[in-house]
Amino acid sequence: MLCKHLSKTDFQIGHWAGGTTTELYIYPENSGYKTKDFEFRISTASVDLEESAFTLLTGVSRQIMTLDGEISLIHEGNKPIYLAPWQVHSFMGDVATKCKGKCTDFNLMTTGSTKAEISHWQVSDENSVSFTAQEGISKVYFYLYSGDAQIILPTNSIMMQAGEFLSIEELNAEEITMISESEALIAAVYVWG
């Protein structure tokens, strides 16, 4: 099991038509967003305008989850899709997509045959969460959106604060437990293969 604990100073911040985007992690680490030679990219973004258009990304599968705020996504020729906080929506990056509303969102982009999905955990002093990788999941990533959390791994324990990111790779059915003395909201990515 390989772990990497990243803080806000480790992230790359850029701009898109509707606000800012923060790249939390890209794999392989020597790949790039602009060159699209990544297998997957994990990021957050602020949607600061009431109406904006998403960047077209040919050949990229996208998953988006709102962390706060509410938005509607309108894919060309389709009815609006409403997203409240922590709801997930998947779509292809080459479809013209407009956004109405403001939010902070969590994004997963994948290319080729990469199989991955996003989810979330809510952890409190009364509700710890344990996770054991399903068969085939080889990588797990956690972004702590709010609160503080302790991530307990078979070999060590990691304290995380809001805005930090944890990469866990080379998983082999080990159990991961998350606890918090208050309340923590965690966005998660699972990657197969």
Side-chain angles (χ1 to χ4, degrees), residues 111-142:
T111 62
S113 60
T114 303
K115 182 182 175 190
E117 66 179 41
I118 57 179
S119 183
H120 79 281
W121 299 98
Q122 185 170 351
V123 185
S124 68
D125 58 348
E126 298 175 354
N127 176 36
S128 66
V129 173
S130 291
F131 167 82
T132 302
Q134 300 173 21
E135 186 175 338
I137 293 179
S138 61
K139 303 172 183 69
V140 177
Y141 304 91
F142 298 119

Side-chain angles (χ1 to χ4, degrees), residues 7-192:
S7 65
K8 294 177 183 178
T9 57
D10 297 311
F11 306 140
Q12 293 184 19
I13 299 174
H15 296 274
W16 69 284
T20 60
T21 178
T22 301
E23 183 176 280
L24 303 173
Y25 196 77
I26 194 164
Y27 184 89
E29 290 185 16
N30 62 351
S31 59
Y33 168 68
K34 290 185 179 178
T35 54
K36 289 190 221 163
D37 58 347
F38 59 87
E39 289 182 29
F40 60 89
R41 178 182 186 262
I42 303 167
S43 64
T44 62
S46 67
V47 182
D48 300 329
L49 304 176
E50 272 303 328
E51 292 193 24
S52 54
F54 279 19
T55 305
L56 285 172
L57 296 166
T58 303
V60 177
S61 298
R62 301 189 64 176
Q63 294 178 47
I64 184 171
M65 176 171 64
T66 53
L67 299 174
D68 62 45
E70 300 174 354
I71 59 172
S72 290
L73 297 182
I74 303 141
H75 302 303
E76 189 174 23
N78 293 290
K79 294 180 179 179
I81 296 162
Y82 171 77
L83 292 178
W86 303 98
Q87 288 186 305
V88 178
H89 175 61
S90 302
F91 60 101
M92 290 304 298
D94 54 2
V95 175
T97 301
K98 292 183 180 178
C99 178
K100 291 189 177 181
K102 299 179 181 181
C103 76
T104 302
D105 60 41
F106 183 75
N107 298 278
L108 171 65
M109 298 178 183
T110 59
T111 62
S113 60
T114 303
K115 182 182 175 190
E117 66 179 41
I118 57 179
S119 183
H120 79 281
W121 299 98
Q122 185 170 351
V123 185
S124 68
D125 58 348
E126 298 175 354
N127 176 36
S128 66
V129 173
S130 291
F131 167 82
T132 302
Q134 300 173 21
E135 186 175 338
I137 293 179
S138 61
K139 303 172 183 69
V140 177
Y141 304 91
F142 298 119
Y143 171 67
L144 185 56
Y145 177 61
S146 65
D148 297 317
Q150 182 178 6
I151 312 297
I152 301 169
L153 306 169
T155 55
N156 63 336
S157 176
I158 297 169
M159 286 299 303
M160 292 182 68
Q161 297 180 337
E164 294 182 341
F165 184 86
L166 182 64
S167 156
I168 305 171
E169 298 180 353
E170 296 187 11
L171 280 172
N172 188 22
E174 294 97 340
E175 184 174 82
I176 300 166
T177 302
M178 293 162 266
I179 60 175
S180 176
E181 292 183 1
S182 54
E183 181 178 71
L185 295 171
I186 301 169
V189 173
Y190 313 113
V191 181
W192 280 260

